[in-house]
Amino acid sequence: MKIEYKLKYKDKNSNARLGEIKTNHGTYETPMFMPVGTQATVKTLSPEEVKDAHAGIILANTYHLWLKPGEDIVNKAGGLHKFMNWHGPILTDSGGFQVFSLAKPKDITEEGVVFKNIYNGDKLLLTPEKSIEIQNKLDSDIAMSFDECIGFPHTKDYVASSVERTLRWAKRGKNAFNNPNQSLFGIVQGAEYEDLRKHCVEELVKMDFDGYSIGGTAVGEPKDVQYKQVEYSCKYLPEDKVRYLMGVGDPVDIIEDVERGVDIFDCVAPTRIARHGHAYTRFGNINLKNARFKEDFTPIEDDCDCYACKNYTKAYISHLIRSNEVFGQRLLSIHNIRFLIKLTEDLREAIKEDRVKEYKEEFYSKYKKNNK
């Protein structure tokens, strides 16, 4: 079945939305944070641990799964859900972000993008049709259009040309799409230019995608530019379709972008910073490698309901991290994913009570003060 989005309520003092996504693998409220399982696994964690963190949708990476183990192997396994033993919904990205980070400008043509295989150096071509074919075989719940993902900054002329290419590729991908159990999202580009974002949204809506993603953020732009990009996109997107902001997961960014009308987020940050000994807390991020935690026999956060906080102290986790024990990274990954999911749960409650702005102020008074 195609996903169904229902707008349940809007905060009276902002553009924040409380919604509901119905998928092949359950119904979930938004705003929502999606953990990233790049290689069909959320790094260091089991599916059961991810589920215990109250995760709904998780993300897997088309580019990496195309190269290893290959979409045909995943397809033979019965699809991505069976292959990785995840019983919730899965969203696959298009591979565009990874490809464009590897490609040179001259390698971007109307046909697609030429780049080198990171594992063996072979020359590869990824086209809109090929991206969709891979995702159809992976059999995720939600597939993404193949777009041109550009960095920051670029001239308006280049951005305008890139938007037109993204729209042509979106149409080609939609024409190639043939998995009736999957939904397909269009991706809004246009950098920091409102007229280009508006144009991109209007043309994608004419193609009638099942949902829409906001692209071109978290590519090196300042925060105020990111928030404008989100505003310019949400301003024109239809209210009856889900809105997904790609690659954004900083706690402050989640609050700012929920306030502007975003429904779902993903980011590799919670597990990435965990591998370096860092943890999110309401009072700012902390580094468990610091000596001050050697004798701190309290949990990462006193009222956190995650497995790490209910069972272990900062002193123990600090010892594990400084000893390069993977269990320490796992505990911090569990906590960090739960922290971001809990943040979106709290935002859902704030939306219901028309107090998103008040929640933001309360959160910032503790988090920003200690996270400079």
Side-chain angles (χ1 to χ4, degrees), residues 8 48 67 80-83 127 144 156 172 177 210 215 222 251 263 293-295 305 321 324 342 347 352-353 361:
K8 296 173 71 175
E48 291 76 18
L67 299 188
L80 203 47
H81 296 85
K82 287 186 178 180
F83 187 61
T127 66
M144 304 299 301
K156 188 171 184 179
R172 282 168 53 188
F177 186 77
D210 302 306
D263 301 310
F293 297 114
K294 283 185 177 181
E295 296 185 25
D305 61 1
I321 293 297
N324 293 318
K342 179 66 164 59
L347 283 164
K352 292 174 186 176
E353 299 168 1
E361 290 174 7

Side-chain angles (χ1 to χ4, degrees), residues 176-283:
F177 186 77
N178 66 357
N179 186 334
N181 296 318
Q182 206 171 38
S183 298
L184 181 63
F185 282 19
I187 301 178
V188 180
Q189 292 288 354
E192 69 270 35
Y193 304 105
E194 181 172 3
D195 57 334
L196 296 181
R197 291 263 171 191
K198 179 175 184 285
H199 170 65
C200 194
V201 169
E202 289 173 345
E203 294 304 310
L204 289 172
V205 169
K206 289 177 185 176
M207 299 180 207
D208 192 26
F209 284 93
D210 302 306
Y212 297 92
S213 302
I214 300 169
T217 61
V219 290
E221 77 282 2
K223 294 295 187 183
D224 62 323
V225 173
Q226 180 199 121
Y227 303 150
K228 284 181 182 177
Q229 292 173 331
V230 171
E231 280 180 22
Y232 295 159
S233 302
C234 289
K235 184 176 179 180
Y236 302 103
L237 283 167
E239 292 221 320
D240 63 345
K241 296 288 181 75
V242 67
R243 302 167 180 174
Y244 161 37
L245 180 60
M246 305 173 72
V248 172
D250 177 83
V252 170
D253 291 347
I254 288 177
I255 295 171
E256 291 286 345
D257 293 321
V258 161
E259 189 178 22
R260 287 164 170 78
V262 172
D263 301 310
I264 57 178
F265 301 81
D266 83 279
C267 192
V268 298
T271 52
R272 176 174 288 169
I273 69 170
R275 296 195 296 278
H276 295 282
H278 293 256
Y280 296 125
T281 84
R282 288 167 299 141
F283 301 96

Side-chain angles (χ1 to χ4, degrees), residues 10 16 122 274 339:
K10 284 189 73 173
D122 288 351
F339 180 91

Side-chain angles (χ1 to χ4, degrees), residues 22-66:
K22 187 176 182 181
T23 76
N24 295 306
H25 294 86
T27 300
Y28 301 88
E29 279 195 327
T30 62
M32 169 199 292
F33 176 76
M34 303 185 295
V36 175
T38 300
Q39 305 265 16
T41 179
V42 177
K43 285 193 185 298
T44 75
L45 303 184
S46 71
E48 291 76 18
E49 288 167 328
V50 177
K51 183 181 178 182
D52 287 346
H54 299 189
I57 304 172
I58 65 171
L59 183 144
N61 186 276
T62 295
Y63 165 75
H64 287 287
L65 294 175
W66 175 36

Side-chain angles (χ1 to χ4, degrees), residues 12 39 93-94 120 124 128 137 140-141 146 184 197 199 268 300 312 323 360 367:
K12 287 185 170 61
Q39 305 265 16
D93 62 12
S94 68
N120 61 19
L124 298 170
K137 288 183 177 180
S140 56
D141 298 82
F146 188 67
L184 181 63
R197 291 263 171 191
H199 170 65
V268 298
I300 301 168
Y312 299 98
S323 302
K360 181 172 81 167
Y367 185 84

Side-chain angles (χ1 to χ4, degrees), residues 329-347:
Q329 300 173 19
R330 284 171 28 76
L331 291 173
L332 290 181
S333 295
I334 289 169
H335 169 78
N336 287 344
I337 286 174
R338 178 62 190 140
F339 180 91
L340 294 183
I341 291 172
K342 179 66 164 59
L343 176 62
T344 57
E345 291 171 355
D346 291 345
L347 283 164

